[in-house]
Amino acid sequence: MAEDIAAQAADAARVYYNAPDIDGFYTQAWGGEDIHIGVYADVREAVGAASGRTVERLAAKVADALGPDSTVLDMGSGYGGAARRLAGEFACHVVALNISEVQNRRHRELNFRRGLDERIEVVTGSFHDIPAPDGSFDVVWSQDALCHSGDRPQALREARRVLKPGGRLVFTDIMAAEGAPEGEVRPLAERLTISGFATPGFYEEQLRALEFSDTGFEDLSDHMLTHYERLVDEVRTPTPGLVNAVSAGYRDRLERNLPQVAAACRKGHLRWGIFHGRRR
């Protein structure tokens, strides 16, 4: 039963990210390379710049494990912004595992243009069944992808399995606050075509159960509010690129949905931040 639910969630994520409207929205409004929540220096900062800063914030958590001899697994790698930053800055080898072949094609093209295709291996697949032997990676990394999982405990078990002893796990995810009213978080779940969200407490419990040490959670939920407020601005005053990349109907849906997500953030019903830990 759990396997069926996980497979259904993986199929839903694949369909979602392969859709032309979704691809156009992330490429044109979200920054195009780092399609996750940003860490903002200023409330008017460009989405792409803030999203890049998130990568820097995660890398700082595991910097001691990153270097020319290290291997990183990026679970749910999207267009590969994080993989390229890690490979470029730390000269590490990155395996980028992602469900969407549409995103993966663009990822490979960008890697080739930047001269990083030899350091980054893009693999189409699911993080519920990672195609790698036990103890393969120094770092397992994921950004805002686990919300698409139909079996988050299994995804985290897989992350632990492929980590070397002493290896580092670092991830962000979009979450609901503990006890958040379902109606308040539903607009975001509907936009992402998922059934629901984990909570910070859930992930903290999972990391304890998997016996990770040196665990921590940096709550950056205020940045999620800023991020969705910026997306509201992007959609209300669209660039020609966004107008050409998405249908008018989808843009209308975004204009209705994104302010609801921002409102849920403002009320404290949604959470976001960085988890990290070390495999014993």
Side-chain angles (χ1 to χ4, degrees):
M1 183 65 175
E3 291 182 359
D4 291 341
I5 294 172
Q8 290 168 8
D11 287 342
R14 184 183 300 106
V15 170
Y16 174 78
Y17 284 109
N18 283 345
D21 276 336
I22 304 300
D23 186 54
F25 170 62
Y26 281 115
T27 301
Q28 296 297 325
W30 204 294
E33 291 197 38
D34 296 296
I35 55 171
H36 46 255
I37 308 300
V39 172
Y40 287 80
D42 182 88
V43 294
R44 302 302 305 167
E45 186 173 25
V47 171
S51 297
R53 188 175 294 107
T54 305
V55 177
E56 297 171 2
R57 194 76 161 248
L58 269 73
K61 304 285 187 188
V62 295
D64 60 332
L66 296 171
D69 297 323
S70 64
T71 55
V72 178
L73 173 67
D74 186 354
M75 301 196 316
S77 54
Y79 299 113
R84 282 184 292 278
R85 285 172 184 267
L86 293 172
E89 182 174 348
F90 298 96
C92 52
H93 177 74
V94 182
V95 175
L97 180 65
N98 196 56
I99 199 74
S100 166
E101 187 54 41
V102 169
Q103 292 182 334
N104 291 347
R105 282 196 297 270
R106 184 161 185 264
H107 185 167
R108 294 184 186 102
E109 290 170 1
L110 290 170
N111 293 346
F112 179 77
R113 291 181 200 169
R114 309 281 173 81
L116 293 169
D117 47 317
E118 292 187 1
R119 291 186 187 169
I120 303 171
E121 179 185 2
V122 182
V123 177
T124 303
S126 168
F127 44 56
H128 296 118
D129 185 17
I130 297 171
D134 296 0
S136 297
F137 298 98
D138 298 285
V139 175
V140 171
W141 172 294
S142 185
Q143 290 182 262
D144 303 350
L146 289 171
C147 57
H148 290 285
S149 172
D151 189 348
R152 294 179 187 112
Q154 171 62 12
L156 291 172
R157 285 193 296 270
E158 279 289 274
R160 184 187 185 281
R161 178 184 68 80
V162 300
L163 272 173
K164 298 174 182 177
R168 307 294 296 278
L169 172 67
V170 63
F171 68 93
T172 62
D173 201 24
I174 298 169
M175 299 167 285
E178 313 290 341
E182 182 180 347
E184 291 287 343
V185 299
R186 187 181 300 122
L188 182 52
E190 289 177 348
R191 191 181 73 76
L192 296 173
T193 64
I194 62 175
S195 59
F197 297 97
T199 64
F202 168 84
Y203 283 126
E204 289 168 343
E205 180 181 344
Q206 291 297 312
L207 293 179
R208 284 194 298 271
L210 291 170
E211 298 183 338
F212 278 90
S213 63
D214 303 330
T215 59
F217 171 56
E218 183 180 8
D219 190 336
L220 298 167
S221 300
D222 288 348
H223 292 276
M224 186 176 179
L225 169 59
T226 303
H227 191 82
Y228 273 91
E229 289 177 334
R230 291 292 295 110
L231 291 177
V232 169
D233 293 341
E234 291 287 329
V235 171
R236 284 180 173 167
T237 55
T239 64
L242 180 60
V243 171
N244 293 330
V246 305
S247 66
Y250 183 67
R251 200 164 68 249
D252 288 344
R253 283 174 52 197
L254 289 173
E255 287 188 26
R256 293 192 303 271
N257 181 280
L258 292 176
Q260 292 178 295
V261 178
C265 293
R266 200 172 295 112
K267 295 173 185 176
H269 295 316
L270 291 168
R271 289 283 183 269
W272 179 76
I274 304 172
F275 292 90
H276 60 92
R278 185 188 303 272
R279 181 187 169 178
R280 289 178 175 151

